[in-house]
Amino acid sequence: MKKKDLLKADLLKTKVEHVSLDTFNPVPLIEAMDKMAFQARNTARAAQIYEMMLKEKDCAVILCLAGSLVSAGLKKVIVQLLENDMVDAIVSTGANIVDQDFFEGLGFRHWQGTPFVDDNVLRELHIDRIYDTFIDEDELRACDDTCKKIADSLDPRPYSSREFIREMGSWLARKGKNKESIVLRAFEKDVPIFCPAFSDCSAGFGLVEHQYRNGLVGKPTMSLDSAKDFLELTRIKMDVKETGLFMIGGGVPKNFAQDIVVAADILGVDVGMHKYAVQITVADERDGALSGSTLKEASSWGKVSTTFEQMVYGEATVFFPLIAGYAYHKKAQKGRKPRRFAQMLELSPAARG
Amino acid sequence: MKKKDLLKADLLKTKVEHVSLDTFNPVPLIEAMDKMAFQARNTARAAQIYEMMLKEKDCAVILCLAGSLVSAGLKKVIVQLLENDMVDAIVSTGANIVDQDFFEGLGFRHWQGTPFVDDNVLRELHIDRIYDTFIDEDELRACDDTCKKIADSLDPRPYSSREFIREMGSWLARKGKNKESIVLRAFEKDVPIFCPAFSDCSAGFGLVEHQYRNGLVGKPTMSLDSAKDFLELTRIKMDVKETGLFMIGGGVPKNFAQDIVVAADILGVDVGMHKYAVQITVADERDGALSGSTLKEASSWGKVSTTFEQMVYGEATVFFPLIAGYAYHKKAQKGRKPRRFAQMLELSPAARG
Amino acid sequence: MKKKDLLKADLLKTKVEHVSLDTFNPVPLIEAMDKMAFQARNTARAAQIYEMMLKEKDCAVILCLAGSLVSAGLKKVIVQLLENDMVDAIVSTGANIVDQDFFEGLGFRHWQGTPFVDDNVLRELHIDRIYDTFIDEDELRACDDTCKKIADSLDPRPYSSREFIREMGSWLARKGKNKESIVLRAFEKDVPIFCPAFSDCSAGFGLVEHQYRNGLVGKPTMSLDSAKDFLELTRIKMDVKETGLFMIGGGVPKNFAQDIVVAADILGVDVGMHKYAVQITVADERDGALSGSTLKEASSWGKVSTTFEQMVYGEATVFFPLIAGYAYHKKAQKGRKPRRFAQMLELSPAARG
Amino acid sequence: MKKKDLLKADLLKTKVEHVSLDTFNPVPLIEAMDKMAFQARNTARAAQIYEMMLKEKDCAVILCLAGSLVSAGLKKVIVQLLENDMVDAIVSTGANIVDQDFFEGLGFRHWQGTPFVDDNVLRELHIDRIYDTFIDEDELRACDDTCKKIADSLDPRPYSSREFIREMGSWLARKGKNKESIVLRAFEKDVPIFCPAFSDCSAGFGLVEHQYRNGLVGKPTMSLDSAKDFLELTRIKMDVKETGLFMIGGGVPKNFAQDIVVAADILGVDVGMHKYAVQITVADERDGALSGSTLKEASSWGKVSTTFEQMVYGEATVFFPLIAGYAYHKKAQKGRKPRRFAQMLELSPAARG
């Protein structure tokens, strides 16, 4: 092995392992936090609201994912929420779904690293850094390439990100090397996954190459229709009585999931606001940006009801397992039935475009 | 006038006015800040780097916009950068371009409000809040509807957001009521605007209605191809020798614009990293999310060179005018020619899909 | 009861309860977090470092407290650390020790409130607010007054804050109404408590009145000698082989405790840097202020060794119980002996001034 | 020169220079910001409030300083406020006054550095780091030693920090090497400076050594009476009709200056709340700590009136010159008379102890 390869192997040595909700029971801690102040109390209230939305009959739970969650060891929590029917639809950044989850489904891993390192050295070694986590860039290219292959195999028409991600799930079911996967489990459970900015990830690289190479030889190509994403998610809102949002981070997933209330209204369908809403974030409201905007502010827009909403100011690797684990160990999922929204969307003629 | 209307009129009384780079000259202040510490020094260095990217021959400047910038009074700064050939392409959230700039182009305005208010009262009055700014929701619906009309007028094929925004510019040129508009000026100057998550804004509402209504009667519809966005922006990177990023906020625009270096590489074209990069943000790197990730981290991914990069930790309404104004008053734009990338993209056969 | 009293009673209804380390066992969660990323991994490493400093023979642990910790429900955790010999000296803001802990020792309580309230109404009702917590201002005045009484009972000479707080402990031992108290337990365990900015709290009000009233009639008064505080804490550093810092928040306690390494050096005594250091904070390093400055930066000053240091970016109500609870349930305190530094300081002639 | 000395000289090469309010006129920018949103509008309002407190007859202005301001290049701004009678009393952290301003008065300087450096190397070279600024540790020791010499020269009695800082001013008047000094100018203008946590800085090191060395040989020593600080600042509040707070950062200075309203009340003197209050900070309110607590919250405590208060979320090196410069260029100081509170305090018998 060359010196460079040795160094690379040395840096990519300790795997990121995914925390499991079965490992710990946060219920006693959360119950104590409920009687305290600041973020402890906010966390407890958020956990209770997530429990409430799960226990309410006819309430669909939409999980929003932003930030580097899967690479940070939160994949299994999301897989467990899927397996236990604790989430009915997912809206995510592309990175979590493709670069991180699908990537691991292909058999690759994330590595424990450090922020105290020379990024120029990492680049030379083809190591990508996410704060204190390392990724093998060569493996990411293999992930991009798999997305291109999937695109090449599809009919040349507009797809919602959900449809494409479903194809990724099908691919993993057939050829995946790591069965603990959000994309795979969602495929099996018919839970739709939306990435409203889907070109902004590894899939985007695959699709760009698909369109470019086929464009050069005049072949028709598939396309990504983000308006279709919006219409499909709005259909879910129109299909259920109540909805609750469990948002990890802000960004496009937060805005997109909140907006479907307004979209349904524009389509002339009278739906209620999101009845429940919880957001874990470190963003600040004082810069006026969406990620840190309060759920109370969202209420002025007619998107979220203020009765059961809670912002939690904290970082997801710590707060997401606590809140999800509380509902899980309180067995809020008991008796909950899978909604299989993906089936509904597949059958909807308008959704097929 | 009813009591409710009176109250609404009272809340929507004081307009947000847009700051002009002609009002003040920050050069002496920035030069003094260069000799200080912390964010003063970072701001000065960022201003110098923006000046450098403008002065370098054969360097295209990509402006990335995230956060509520136009509603906050920053529209004119962006318009002035367009008018003075200080930006060659824009990557933005949809909100800035459609809900805020196009919205004002239709003759509507943003209003000075306050965060210390009951959001339930605002909702009753159809007033939307962005921190300390108010918007008339009824006017926003008119904006959504205009987007639907534009969609209805187009051929039923996949469009990049850039193509659609160009149509919006054309609309404003013909029917706009406020000529001080980013969308309009970019249309006139052939500066392409990309919104990679384009359904996540007022245009999304219009397009959802377009697809839904036409779908109900079996008519073919247009679609939004975000992969095409990615390919088009990558073409720009492949077309020029050097690039510089001037990023206001993080989110999808930051990631998307950084990624084109990798995309070009995947298409087999050897382009350099972004030579210059500046980001104004209040996000933190310690949660591992993209918005606050350092430009040094981006260098490990091979996207940004570390020689001329600077993070500025501050809120855009204060820091964007200072940095843009420095380059403007130093006349960094002198002799710079418009690149008219939009023309190049219109002519590119592959980009037409 | 008058309407005003009724309203006040309604707002002061739900007590803040203090979380107990016996309620939950965070060890499995922390062990899982150690294999993740971002703040999860940082939290795990901080917990391990706190465990290490407890297990090291001849290492004294200094606990630094800033922020509103006691009012937020963290009193019992600190009491439990005292009871289990898991802390050998405390450096704190005055608010935690006097306004909050001593205050509760007098029989008063903190109340669960909300930040969404009109502060002018609260002021009318004599209710003080700390974010989402309420305090009865009339009870706080009784606390101030008790401090004045203690001051009146003392010899008119300069006191370190430690000496005065010891008198407060003695008072609680005799007249306290709530035995679960940091001040009382530290008194019993001979653990010194320092408040380097001691006039900046309820005690300050008492002492100002003591000096003012006695001054008016020409009587000599006691005084607060913060230089003596510094000398006493430095003596502790000179007395032990190794030291570890467990810092909750930043501010004066952080700076003060770090500085004793330099102070010992100035007194000509060769002591090592703090061998272990952990800080929980939400402050940011990018503004150059002390609270968010990294422990690596402290190493340039010769105060903290970089081998076993960890910053944790999080809010104390959640992170302090997790980190303290980890060491507690791992029984790091087993075999650890009380150091009774207060006795050493009482006997030291120079410390007596 | 040895290799080590060469390296040190290379790192301490570029001086931090202090920004002058004469260099730039922020009035047009601030006036434009007033019509915008978010922190631009907050900054404008804060600037207007500072202008108001200066223009109000019988209103004393208390400037609070926390964070590393002087080392960052803000010394001249504070000196200019003193020279133009735009501040009547200062409450500060010790670091700004002693380690940074008095230090520069002795002829030493701060140096432009970088946060991207190995702190262990800096420590070896006796270079202290404040984020991106370097200090020569050997020179700091000379500053500590000068404080010891001043202490040695004083009567062995309790001193307020204000009294001691006045002695430092006297020293600089006689022996200082750099006349642009806050301590010196305040001495000349009879503006009192309080450091309520005065042992927590370079002066603390000097005083510890003073007490330790004299204690060893049984000589009486001076002491630092922080209760006296509190009483003296409260006297100022009792002496004037109205007060305004201009706070840079939070911490002890913020709390201390706010508290004097309550202290006066306890002494039986009916004073109003602080009529005006402005704070520049990057701290967050959501952790419940004092530094980020809102001025509205302070109003529940009866400390600050809510009519003219404004929080500005930003970093001081950028926002302090803008706000101070606005009032300066609007000539808010015109006709304002020096209050010379230091004279009043010197003459007050009770204040002499």
Side-chain angles (χ1 to χ4, degrees):
Chain A
M1 207 152 52
K2 279 187 241 160
K3 194 179 159 190
K4 207 164 148 180
D5 295 336
L6 275 170
L7 182 51
K8 185 168 183 175
D10 194 53
L11 286 167
L12 306 183
K13 213 167 45 187
T14 311
K15 287 177 189 169
V16 169
E17 306 280 354
H18 297 280
V19 63
S20 163
L21 297 178
D22 289 321
T23 317
F24 64 98
N25 178 357
V27 173
L29 176 59
I30 297 282
E31 283 175 354
M33 286 160 77
D34 188 38
K35 296 171 180 160
M36 297 172 66
F38 312 155
Q39 300 315 312
R41 202 198 298 160
N42 289 351
T43 302
R45 187 151 192 271
Q48 290 160 358
I49 291 174
Y50 180 43
E51 185 191 14
M52 288 168 72
M53 60 177 106
L54 288 168
K55 284 191 166 170
E56 170 144 355
K57 213 167 124 60
D58 298 325
C59 177
V61 172
I62 301 173
L63 178 69
C64 298
L65 304 173
S68 295
L69 308 174
V70 170
S71 66
L74 291 167
K75 182 178 72 175
K76 196 179 178 72
V77 170
I78 302 165
V79 167
Q80 288 174 315
L81 295 188
L82 285 165
E83 287 171 346
N84 289 280
D85 301 316
M86 296 172 77
V87 52
D88 301 306
I90 292 176
V91 183
S92 179
T93 59
N96 277 308
I97 297 306
V98 190
D99 304 54
Q100 300 180 8
D101 179 78
F102 185 65
F103 171 83
E104 290 206 353
L106 297 177
F108 306 123
R109 294 297 295 256
H110 295 87
W111 305 94
Q112 294 194 33
T114 168
F116 306 106
V117 68
D118 183 336
D119 288 300
N120 289 312
V121 170
L122 293 184
R123 189 180 61 249
E124 291 293 317
L125 297 172
H126 289 209
I127 294 176
D128 301 331
R129 181 168 72 84
I130 299 177
Y131 195 56
D132 59 3
T133 308
F134 294 156
I135 300 141
D136 188 331
E137 168 72 15
D138 299 328
E139 292 177 353
L140 254 187
R141 292 294 173 96
C143 180
D144 303 342
D145 193 55
T146 307
C147 292
K148 177 183 176 292
K149 280 177 190 152
I150 293 173
D152 287 343
S153 74
L154 297 178
D155 289 344
R157 63 162 177 91
Y159 285 75
S160 67
S161 65
R162 179 199 62 78
E163 291 176 293
F164 192 87
I165 294 165
R166 199 171 162 75
E167 299 294 337
M168 288 164 52
S170 162
W171 175 288
L172 287 183
R174 288 171 284 128
K175 309 187 188 176
K177 295 190 177 153
N178 181 338
K179 296 297 175 184
E180 190 171 279
S181 158
I182 297 165
V183 169
L184 177 58
R185 200 69 79 256
F187 170 75
E188 293 165 351
K189 301 281 289 186
D190 283 322
V191 171
I193 300 178
F194 300 89
C195 295
F198 195 56
S199 65
D200 187 37
C201 72
S202 174
F205 292 120
L207 290 165
V208 157
E209 194 177 3
H210 164 77
Q211 291 194 348
Y212 182 76
R213 301 264 177 243
N214 287 294
L216 288 181
V217 296
K219 275 182 67 176
T221 62
M222 63 153 291
S223 62
L224 270 186
D225 185 7
S226 65
K228 193 171 183 179
D229 276 326
F230 198 15
L231 181 53
E232 288 189 3
L233 192 63
T234 302
R235 276 181 195 282
I236 289 177
K237 179 69 192 163
M238 299 191 299
D239 190 62
V240 287
K241 211 173 146 198
E242 301 290 0
T243 41
L245 302 180
F246 185 10
M247 295 177 278
I248 320 302
V252 169
K254 174 186 180 181
N255 202 39
F256 195 79
Q258 289 188 351
D259 273 359
I260 56 174
V261 180
V262 180
D265 190 37
I266 286 173
L267 300 189
V269 181
D270 189 21
V271 301
M273 290 187 281
H274 293 298
K275 183 170 178 182
Y276 306 96
V278 160
Q279 187 188 358
I280 301 170
T281 185
V282 296
D284 196 281
E285 67 171 310
R286 295 170 295 184
D287 66 342
L290 182 274
S291 290
S293 65
T294 64
L295 295 165
K296 293 191 198 307
E297 180 180 310
S299 175
S300 79
W301 295 75
K303 298 172 181 174
V304 174
S305 167
T306 56
T307 315
F308 304 111
E309 57 79 16
Q310 185 62 55
M311 300 290 290
V312 179
Y313 174 53
E315 197 261 302
T317 53
V318 175
F319 289 82
F320 184 25
L322 287 175
I323 293 172
Y326 175 82
Y328 179 75
H329 284 274
K330 290 271 285 183
K331 304 207 187 307
Q333 67 276 22
K334 210 180 154 186
R336 227 178 163 266
K337 278 177 216 143
R339 293 191 176 273
R340 303 199 176 274
F341 283 131
Q343 286 185 5
M344 182 266 282
L345 294 171
E346 291 291 316
L347 295 171
S348 157
R352 289 291 321 167
Chain B
M1 205 152 55
K2 283 188 237 159
K3 193 179 159 191
K4 206 164 146 179
D5 295 337
L6 274 170
L7 182 51
K8 184 169 183 174
D10 194 53
L11 286 167
L12 306 182
K13 214 168 45 188
T14 311
K15 287 177 190 168
V16 170
E17 306 280 354
H18 298 279
V19 63
S20 162
L21 297 178
D22 289 322
T23 317
F24 65 98
N25 177 358
V27 173
L29 176 59
I30 297 282
E31 284 175 351
M33 287 160 76
D34 187 39
K35 295 172 180 160
M36 297 172 66
F38 310 156
Q39 300 314 313
R41 201 198 300 162
N42 289 350
T43 302
R45 186 151 192 271
Q48 290 160 359
I49 291 174
Y50 180 43
E51 186 191 14
M52 287 167 72
M53 61 178 104
L54 288 168
K55 285 192 167 170
E56 170 145 356
K57 210 166 127 60
D58 298 325
C59 176
V61 172
I62 302 173
L63 178 69
C64 297
L65 305 173
S68 294
L69 308 175
V70 170
S71 66
L74 290 167
K75 181 178 73 174
K76 197 179 178 70
V77 171
I78 302 165
V79 167
Q80 289 175 314
L81 296 188
L82 285 165
E83 288 171 345
N84 289 279
D85 303 314
M86 295 172 78
V87 51
D88 302 305
I90 292 176
V91 183
S92 179
T93 60
N96 277 309
I97 297 306
V98 190
D99 304 54
Q100 300 179 6
D101 179 78
F102 185 66
F103 172 84
E104 291 207 354
L106 297 177
F108 306 124
R109 293 298 295 255
H110 294 87
W111 306 94
Q112 293 194 30
T114 167
F116 306 105
V117 67
D118 184 336
D119 289 299
N120 289 310
V121 170
L122 293 185
R123 189 180 61 250
E124 290 294 316
L125 297 172
H126 289 208
I127 294 177
D128 302 329
R129 180 168 72 84
I130 299 177
Y131 195 57
D132 59 3
T133 308
F134 293 156
I135 301 140
D136 187 331
E137 168 72 16
D138 299 329
E139 293 176 353
L140 254 188
R141 292 294 173 98
C143 179
D144 303 342
D145 194 54
T146 307
C147 292
K148 177 183 175 294
K149 281 177 190 151
I150 293 173
D152 287 342
S153 73
L154 296 179
D155 290 343
R157 64 163 176 91
Y159 285 75
S160 66
S161 64
R162 179 197 63 77
E163 290 177 293
F164 192 87
I165 294 165
R166 198 170 163 77
E167 298 294 335
M168 289 164 53
S170 162
W171 176 287
L172 287 182
R174 286 171 285 129
K175 310 186 187 177
K177 294 188 178 157
N178 181 338
K179 297 298 175 183
E180 190 172 281
S181 158
I182 297 165
V183 168
L184 176 58
R185 200 68 80 255
F187 170 75
E188 293 166 350
K189 300 281 290 188
D190 284 320
V191 172
I193 300 178
F194 300 89
C195 294
F198 195 55
S199 66
D200 186 38
C201 73
S202 174
F205 292 120
L207 290 166
V208 157
E209 194 176 2
H210 164 77
Q211 291 194 349
Y212 182 76
R213 301 267 175 239
N214 286 296
L216 289 180
V217 296
K219 273 181 68 175
T221 63
M222 63 152 292
S223 62
L224 268 187
D225 185 7
S226 65
K228 193 170 182 178
D229 276 326
F230 199 14
L231 181 53
E232 288 188 2
L233 192 62
T234 303
R235 274 182 196 282
I236 289 178
K237 180 67 191 166
M238 300 191 298
D239 190 62
V240 286
K241 209 170 149 201
E242 302 290 358
T243 42
L245 302 181
F246 185 11
M247 297 178 278
I248 320 301
V252 170
K254 174 185 179 181
N255 203 37
F256 196 78
Q258 288 188 352
D259 273 358
I260 55 174
V261 179
V262 180
D265 189 37
I266 285 174
L267 300 189
V269 181
D270 189 21
V271 301
M273 292 188 279
H274 292 300
K275 182 169 177 183
Y276 306 95
V278 160
Q279 187 188 359
I280 300 170
T281 185
V282 296
D284 196 282
E285 67 171 310
R286 294 169 297 184
D287 67 342
L290 183 273
S291 290
S293 66
T294 62
L295 295 166
K296 291 190 199 309
E297 180 179 312
S299 174
S300 78
W301 295 74
K303 297 171 181 174
V304 173
S305 166
T306 55
T307 314
F308 303 110
E309 57 79 18
Q310 185 63 55
M311 300 289 290
V312 179
Y313 175 52
E315 198 259 302
T317 53
V318 175
F319 289 82
F320 185 24
L322 287 176
I323 292 172
Y326 175 82
Y328 179 73
H329 284 274
K330 291 270 285 186
K331 304 203 187 310
Q333 67 275 24
K334 209 180 153 187
R336 229 181 162 264
K337 278 175 216 146
R339 294 192 176 272
R340 303 198 175 275
F341 283 130
Q343 287 185 3
M344 182 266 284
L345 294 171
E346 290 291 317
L347 296 171
S348 155
R352 292 282 329 161
Chain C
M1 205 152 55
K2 281 187 239 160
K3 193 179 159 191
K4 206 165 147 179
D5 294 337
L6 275 170
L7 182 51
K8 185 169 182 173
D10 194 53
L11 286 167
L12 306 182
K13 214 168 44 188
T14 311
K15 286 177 190 169
V16 170
E17 307 279 355
H18 297 280
V19 63
S20 163
L21 296 179
D22 289 321
T23 317
F24 65 99
N25 176 357
V27 173
L29 176 59
I30 296 282
E31 284 175 351
M33 285 159 77
D34 188 38
K35 296 171 180 161
M36 296 172 66
F38 310 156
Q39 300 314 312
R41 202 198 299 161
N42 289 350
T43 302
R45 185 149 193 271
Q48 290 160 357
I49 291 173
Y50 180 43
E51 186 191 15
M52 286 168 72
M53 61 177 105
L54 288 167
K55 285 193 166 169
E56 170 145 355
K57 210 166 125 63
D58 298 326
C59 175
V61 172
I62 302 173
L63 178 69
C64 298
L65 305 173
S68 295
L69 308 174
V70 170
S71 67
L74 290 167
K75 182 178 72 174
K76 197 179 178 69
V77 170
I78 302 165
V79 168
Q80 289 175 314
L81 296 188
L82 285 165
E83 288 171 346
N84 289 280
D85 303 315
M86 294 171 78
V87 51
D88 302 304
I90 292 176
V91 183
S92 179
T93 60
N96 277 308
I97 298 305
V98 190
D99 303 55
Q100 301 180 6
D101 179 77
F102 185 65
F103 171 84
E104 291 207 354
L106 297 177
F108 306 124
R109 293 297 295 255
H110 294 88
W111 306 93
Q112 294 193 32
T114 167
F116 307 105
V117 68
D118 183 336
D119 289 299
N120 289 311
V121 171
L122 294 185
R123 189 180 61 250
E124 291 293 316
L125 297 171
H126 288 208
I127 294 177
D128 301 330
R129 180 168 72 83
I130 299 178
Y131 194 58
D132 59 3
T133 308
F134 293 156
I135 300 140
D136 188 332
E137 168 73 15
D138 299 329
E139 293 176 353
L140 254 188
R141 292 293 173 99
C143 180
D144 303 343
D145 194 53
T146 307
C147 292
K148 175 182 176 296
K149 281 177 189 151
I150 293 173
D152 287 342
S153 74
L154 296 179
D155 289 343
R157 64 163 176 90
Y159 284 75
S160 66
S161 65
R162 180 198 63 77
E163 290 176 294
F164 192 87
I165 293 165
R166 197 168 164 79
E167 298 295 336
M168 289 164 51
S170 162
W171 176 288
L172 287 182
R174 286 171 286 128
K175 310 187 186 176
K177 295 188 178 156
N178 181 338
K179 297 297 175 184
E180 190 171 282
S181 158
I182 297 164
V183 168
L184 177 57
R185 200 69 79 255
F187 171 74
E188 294 166 350
K189 301 281 289 187
D190 285 320
V191 171
I193 300 178
F194 299 89
C195 295
F198 195 55
S199 66
D200 186 38
C201 72
S202 174
F205 293 120
L207 290 166
V208 157
E209 194 176 4
H210 164 77
Q211 291 195 347
Y212 182 77
R213 302 266 176 241
N214 286 296
L216 289 180
V217 296
K219 275 182 65 176
T221 63
M222 63 151 291
S223 62
L224 267 187
D225 186 6
S226 65
K228 194 172 183 178
D229 276 327
F230 199 15
L231 181 53
E232 288 188 3
L233 192 62
T234 302
R235 274 180 196 284
I236 290 177
K237 179 69 192 166
M238 299 190 299
D239 190 62
V240 288
K241 210 172 147 201
E242 301 290 358
T243 42
L245 302 181
F246 185 11
M247 296 178 277
I248 321 301
V252 170
K254 173 186 180 180
N255 203 37
F256 196 79
Q258 289 188 352
D259 274 358
I260 56 174
V261 179
V262 180
D265 189 37
I266 286 173
L267 300 189
V269 181
D270 189 23
V271 301
M273 290 188 279
H274 293 299
K275 182 170 177 182
Y276 306 96
V278 159
Q279 187 188 358
I280 300 170
T281 186
V282 296
D284 196 283
E285 66 171 310
R286 293 170 296 185
D287 67 341
L290 184 272
S291 290
S293 66
T294 63
L295 295 166
K296 291 191 200 308
E297 180 179 311
S299 175
S300 78
W301 295 75
K303 298 170 182 176
V304 174
S305 167
T306 55
T307 314
F308 303 111
E309 57 79 18
Q310 185 62 54
M311 300 290 290
V312 179
Y313 174 52
E315 198 260 302
T317 54
V318 175
F319 289 82
F320 185 24
L322 288 176
I323 292 172
Y326 174 82
Y328 178 75
H329 285 273
K330 290 271 285 186
K331 303 204 188 309
Q333 66 276 23
K334 210 180 155 187
R336 228 179 163 264
K337 278 176 216 145
R339 293 190 176 273
R340 301 198 177 275
F341 283 130
Q343 286 185 4
M344 182 267 283
L345 294 171
E346 290 292 316
L347 296 172
S348 156
R352 290 286 325 163
Chain D
M1 208 153 52
K2 278 187 243 163
K3 193 179 159 191
K4 207 164 149 181
D5 294 336
L6 275 170
L7 181 52
K8 185 169 183 174
D10 194 53
L11 287 167
L12 306 182
K13 213 166 46 187
T14 312
K15 288 177 189 170
V16 169
E17 307 279 354
H18 297 280
V19 63
S20 163
L21 296 178
D22 289 321
T23 317
F24 64 99
N25 177 358
V27 174
L29 176 59
I30 297 282
E31 284 176 351
M33 285 159 77
D34 188 38
K35 296 172 180 159
M36 297 171 65
F38 311 155
Q39 300 315 313
R41 203 198 297 161
N42 290 351
T43 302
R45 187 150 192 271
Q48 290 160 359
I49 291 174
Y50 180 44
E51 185 190 14
M52 287 168 72
M53 60 176 106
L54 288 168
K55 285 191 166 170
E56 171 145 355
K57 212 167 124 61
D58 298 326
C59 176
V61 172
I62 302 173
L63 178 69
C64 298
L65 305 173
S68 294
L69 308 173
V70 170
S71 67
L74 291 167
K75 182 178 72 174
K76 196 178 180 71
V77 171
I78 302 165
V79 168
Q80 288 175 314
L81 296 188
L82 286 164
E83 288 171 346
N84 289 279
D85 302 315
M86 296 173 77
V87 53
D88 301 306
I90 292 175
V91 183
S92 179
T93 59
N96 277 308
I97 298 305
V98 190
D99 304 54
Q100 298 178 10
D101 179 78
F102 185 64
F103 172 83
E104 290 207 353
L106 297 178
F108 306 124
R109 294 297 295 256
H110 295 87
W111 306 94
Q112 294 194 32
T114 168
F116 307 106
V117 68
D118 183 337
D119 288 300
N120 289 312
V121 170
L122 293 185
R123 189 180 61 250
E124 291 293 317
L125 298 172
H126 288 209
I127 294 176
D128 301 331
R129 181 168 72 84
I130 299 177
Y131 196 57
D132 59 3
T133 308
F134 293 156
I135 300 141
D136 187 332
E137 169 72 16
D138 298 328
E139 293 176 354
L140 255 188
R141 292 294 172 98
C143 179
D144 303 342
D145 193 55
T146 307
C147 292
K148 178 182 175 293
K149 281 178 190 150
I150 293 173
D152 287 342
S153 74
L154 297 177
D155 289 344
R157 63 163 177 90
Y159 284 74
S160 67
S161 65
R162 179 198 63 77
E163 291 177 293
F164 192 87
I165 293 165
R166 198 170 163 76
E167 299 294 337
M168 289 164 51
S170 162
W171 175 288
L172 287 183
R174 287 171 284 128
K175 310 187 188 175
K177 295 190 177 153
N178 180 339
K179 296 298 174 183
E180 190 171 280
S181 158
I182 297 164
V183 168
L184 176 57
R185 198 70 78 256
F187 171 75
E188 292 166 350
K189 300 281 289 187
D190 283 320
V191 172
I193 300 177
F194 300 89
C195 296
F198 195 55
S199 66
D200 186 37
C201 72
S202 173
F205 292 120
L207 290 165
V208 157
E209 193 177 3
H210 164 77
Q211 291 194 348
Y212 181 78
R213 302 264 176 241
N214 286 295
L216 288 181
V217 296
K219 276 181 67 175
T221 63
M222 63 153 290
S223 62
L224 269 187
D225 186 6
S226 66
K228 193 172 183 179
D229 276 326
F230 198 16
L231 182 53
E232 288 189 2
L233 191 63
T234 302
R235 275 182 196 281
I236 289 178
K237 179 70 192 166
M238 299 191 298
D239 190 62
V240 286
K241 212 172 145 201
E242 302 289 0
T243 42
L245 301 181
F246 185 11
M247 296 178 278
I248 320 301
V252 169
K254 174 185 179 181
N255 202 38
F256 196 79
Q258 288 188 351
D259 273 359
I260 56 175
V261 180
V262 180
D265 190 38
I266 285 173
L267 300 188
V269 181
D270 189 21
V271 301
M273 291 188 281
H274 293 299
K275 183 170 177 182
Y276 306 95
V278 160
Q279 186 188 359
I280 300 170
T281 185
V282 295
D284 197 281
E285 67 172 310
R286 294 170 296 186
D287 67 342
L290 182 273
S291 290
S293 66
T294 64
L295 295 165
K296 292 190 199 308
E297 181 180 310
S299 175
S300 78
W301 295 75
K303 297 171 182 174
V304 173
S305 167
T306 55
T307 314
F308 304 111
E309 57 80 15
Q310 185 62 53
M311 300 289 289
V312 179
Y313 174 53
E315 197 262 302
T317 52
V318 174
F319 289 81
F320 185 24
L322 288 176
I323 292 172
Y326 175 83
Y328 179 75
H329 284 274
K330 291 270 286 183
K331 303 205 188 308
Q333 67 276 22
K334 209 180 155 186
R336 228 179 163 264
K337 278 176 215 144
R339 293 191 176 274
R340 301 197 175 276
F341 282 131
Q343 286 186 4
M344 182 267 282
L345 294 171
E346 290 291 315
L347 296 171
S348 156
R352 288 294 317 168

